[in-house]
Amino acid sequence: MAAAGTNGAVVVVVGEGDLKATFRQIYDRLKSELLQDDAFDCTDEARQWIDRMLDYNVPGGKLNRGLSVIDSYKLLKEGNQLNDEEVFLGCALGWCIEWLQAYFLVLDDIMDNSHTRRGQLCWFRVPKVGLIAVNDGILLRNHIPRILKRHFKGKPYYVDLLDLFNEVEFQTASGQMLDLITTHEGEKDLSKYTLPVYNRIVQYKTAYYSFYLPVACALLMAGENLDTFVDVKNILVEMGTYFQVQDDFLDCFGDPEVIGKIGTDIEDFKCSWLVVQALQRANENQMKTLSEIYGKSDPTCVAKVKSIYKDLDLQNVFAEYERTSYEHLISSIEAQPSKAVQGVLKSFLQKIYKREK
């Protein structure tokens, strides 16, 4: 099917049956437009670099954040068939979030001195890339307003979209700063690891861009004013916190065969929900042991930390947290006046409740 695009070009998208295939097809179009962007007189060498850099960093994840935009928009339309332009615009916004994610990850990996990401070398560790990756991160961030300008400039919510992405980027960068100065500055100090600090890091570093941003994009597309959806934002941030707590739990107690990786939060001295809970419950001897061995990569030390977690019954503490969080989220969701918004929020919650990976 074909429809007129927002810039007068023809938008070609397949039917909604295979949304992920459509989503990936739209990535190819957006990338092609960026490679031909007339704001920069691109050489063949530069075009090849950007092409490779984008393919390496943008489409390689699960794409959950990006796909959530179009999924949420469909639910807000309450069963009405989306036309091709709506599918394209929803997918384009989804890709803007994936671009934002790529930008964060490229720079985060440099800051954390990481080795692998999504089963391959971190971009800055690829031969001949190195710290050029810093500029690539800046390019990734600057691609977002290029996409928005091309496809959304004529929309009444265009300025709101720009504000939204700017706001969420600021919140995420602030969360990253808090994480870095809490977990990496100077000597290892577990006294900094408190629940309020943990919640603040998670809220700003993860919850806003992973949970609130996709729904906010869908609401703007649907013609809504975000100022009237503060409760929805709060629910999604709470959901994002719950998601990160699950992640921390699975890092320690999940099956590596199921989650697809071996957790390293203990070795990495992460401000994990588990260590925060342990510090609240530990006796004097357990506290002394944690202070001495948390953050060490020695397998014996890691096993001792896990043993303390088990002695403190943190698996049941998590199960109770999961139960009460779910009940509170459901209650908050069902208090929303819009059934369509309830549907969006419940679809998010169903995807993550009691997940194993």
Side-chain angles (χ1 to χ4, degrees):
M1 297 173 71
T6 53
N7 62 344
V10 172
V11 178
V12 180
V13 290
V14 298
E16 288 186 65
D18 191 354
L19 186 56
K20 200 159 190 176
T22 304
F23 192 64
R24 288 187 176 278
Q25 180 190 36
I26 288 168
Y27 164 78
D28 292 332
R29 172 184 170 144
L30 295 173
K31 182 181 76 167
S32 176
E33 290 171 349
L34 289 166
L35 292 174
Q36 305 300 325
D37 194 325
D38 58 12
F40 174 55
D41 186 12
C42 215
T43 64
D44 288 342
E45 184 182 18
R47 192 173 289 111
Q48 288 166 12
W49 180 279
I50 296 167
D51 192 348
R52 177 185 175 220
M53 184 270 289
L54 290 177
D55 283 350
Y56 197 92
N57 292 294
V58 178
K62 298 171 188 170
L63 307 179
N64 289 339
R65 293 170 182 83
L67 287 165
S68 293
V69 178
I70 192 70
D71 286 342
S72 299
Y73 184 66
K74 284 165 68 177
L75 289 166
L76 291 173
K77 295 285 282 187
E78 298 186 89
N80 292 322
Q81 188 78 14
L82 305 189
N83 63 40
D84 283 356
E85 187 184 23
E86 288 175 313
V87 172
F88 175 81
L89 293 177
C91 289
L93 283 182
W95 278 115
C96 284
I97 298 175
E98 295 294 334
W99 248 269
L100 189 70
Q101 160 90 333
Y103 153 63
F104 290 145
L105 297 185
V106 165
L107 296 184
D108 281 4
D109 287 342
I110 298 169
M111 286 181 265
D112 293 343
N113 200 30
S114 299
H115 288 270
T116 59
R117 167 74 65 183
R118 296 170 173 171
Q120 59 185 4
L121 280 175
C122 295
W123 177 240
F124 80 99
R125 293 192 178 275
V126 171
K128 298 186 180 179
V129 176
L131 291 182
I132 296 172
V134 175
N135 193 66
D136 289 335
I138 295 168
L139 275 175
L140 287 164
R141 173 61 184 96
N142 277 273
H143 284 164
I144 296 166
R146 308 304 297 173
I147 294 169
L148 295 177
K149 183 178 180 181
R150 177 181 288 267
H151 296 290
F152 294 89
K153 192 173 183 183
K155 301 293 181 186
Y157 53 88
Y158 173 59
V159 172
D160 294 318
L161 276 177
L162 293 174
D163 281 348
L164 174 65
F165 274 90
N166 286 338
E167 190 78 4
V168 169
E169 182 193 6
F170 173 70
Q171 289 164 326
T172 308
S174 299
Q176 172 72 347
M177 175 203 65
L178 185 58
D179 189 18
L180 290 169
I181 65 176
T182 303
T183 61
H184 297 299
E185 188 183 66
E187 294 182 3
K188 294 176 177 178
D189 181 6
L190 283 176
S191 68
K192 292 180 178 179
Y193 289 7
T194 64
L195 196 56
V197 168
Y198 174 83
N199 285 336
R200 194 172 290 116
I201 291 171
V202 171
Q203 174 181 337
Y204 286 99
K205 185 179 176 182
T206 302
Y208 280 113
Y209 93 92
S210 296
F211 283 79
Y212 173 62
L213 182 55
V215 175
C217 284
L219 286 167
L220 287 175
M221 267 190 72
E224 300 288 357
N225 183 336
L226 295 182
D227 291 340
T228 63
F229 288 91
V230 175
D231 287 348
V232 170
K233 179 197 283 190
N234 293 337
I235 291 167
L236 287 160
V237 168
E238 184 181 342
M239 217 181 286
T241 302
Y242 163 59
F243 178 87
Q244 186 60 52
V245 171
Q246 286 178 312
D247 233 36
D248 292 354
F249 180 82
L250 292 171
D251 184 273
C252 180
F253 293 112
D255 181 350
E257 293 292 319
V258 176
I259 63 176
K261 64 178 181 178
I262 297 170
T264 60
D265 282 1
I266 294 170
E267 297 94 317
D268 295 341
F269 199 72
K270 284 287 175 68
C271 184
S272 159
W273 183 83
L274 288 169
V275 77
V276 169
Q277 295 298 322
L279 292 168
Q280 289 181 347
R281 294 168 169 77
N283 61 33
E284 193 173 332
N285 286 336
Q286 290 168 328
M287 188 74 81
K288 184 173 182 291
T289 302
L290 285 171
S291 297
E292 289 171 354
I293 66 173
Y294 190 75
K296 292 187 175 178
S297 55
D298 180 349
T300 306
C301 293
V302 173
K304 279 185 183 176
V305 172
K306 290 186 178 182
S307 177
I308 290 173
Y309 288 172
K310 288 176 182 174
D311 290 344
L312 294 171
D313 201 24
L314 293 191
Q315 284 156 297
N316 278 326
V317 172
F318 170 75
E320 178 63 13
Y321 167 84
E322 184 164 55
R323 184 187 67 79
T324 56
S325 292
Y326 180 79
E327 288 176 357
H328 184 259
L329 284 165
I330 284 291
S331 174
S332 300
I333 290 168
E334 291 181 346
Q336 295 305 303
S338 164
K339 289 292 183 186
V341 169
Q342 285 188 29
V344 170
L345 296 172
K346 284 183 177 179
S347 77
F348 264 75
L349 188 54
Q350 285 163 5
K351 288 173 188 172
I352 64 172
Y353 181 54
K354 287 191 177 292
R355 67 190 177 96
E356 295 182 351
K357 62 180 180 178

